[in-house]
Amino acid sequence: MKMLLLNLFLSLLLLCHPSRGSEDVTIGSDVWVIPVGGGPLPAQEGTVGHSITFSWVGTHNVYIHPTGDCSEIGAILVSETSPAVYTFQEADLNKTVTFSCEISSHCTLGMIMDVAVSDHEDDTSGDDDTSGAKSPLSSLLAAVGAVSAGLFLYV
């Protein structure tokens, strides 16, 4: 019984801790490819102080495109070897950082990705949170329901 209550308590704690999307982002070799049917690749969200890591097999690279398109004007090399890691800076805050592969025509074939950069850790209001994170109250209610269901099944 003690083990069941401990597991239920730990589940309650996990459910009550709202996720704000402030994690590092990983773009695996299954994503950092020329997309079938064209692109761009799915947009992502990043957080200042956290990083995005691109991994790939084959011949690719990662550049930041300040123009937001495949123009190489002002492009900034992140890495020509996998994995490529970029840490979002304060200068990126509230901007969209565009990453692409500049090998041959990879970018124009859709190997380009936008990342909207925010600073979720400073957003404590919770009023406009559309990230899909649960509010503390709804998380608590869900956890209470889970604990109740668990106790009912145990008895």
Side-chain angles (χ1 to χ4, degrees), residues 8-100:
L8 291 173
F9 177 73
L10 292 174
S11 298
L12 176 70
L13 286 177
L14 287 174
L15 286 170
C16 288
H17 181 68
S19 171
R20 290 258 179 209
S22 59
E23 309 258 332
D24 292 340
V25 178
T26 301
I27 307 300
S29 60
D30 59 327
V31 176
W32 195 241
V33 295
I34 299 170
V36 176
L41 295 169
Q44 303 291 319
E45 293 182 2
T47 306
V48 171
H50 291 269
S51 62
I52 185 167
T53 302
F54 296 85
S55 298
W56 64 87
V57 294
T59 306
H60 297 298
N61 58 31
V62 178
Y63 277 80
I64 295 174
H65 283 253
T67 58
D69 57 24
C70 292
S71 169
E72 294 180 14
I73 297 171
I76 303 161
L77 175 65
V78 176
S79 182
E80 291 184 339
T81 58
S82 179
V85 179
Y86 177 78
T87 302
F88 297 106
Q89 309 296 313
E90 286 292 328
D92 300 324
L93 182 60
N94 298 322
K95 295 181 182 173
T96 297
V97 179
T98 302
F99 295 92
S100 80

Side-chain angles (χ1 to χ4, degrees), residues 20 119-130 134-136:
R20 290 258 179 209
D119 190 1
H120 290 292
E121 287 136 352
D122 286 346
D123 178 18
T124 56
S125 68
D127 294 338
D128 298 331
D129 186 11
T130 58
K134 296 178 181 177
S135 72

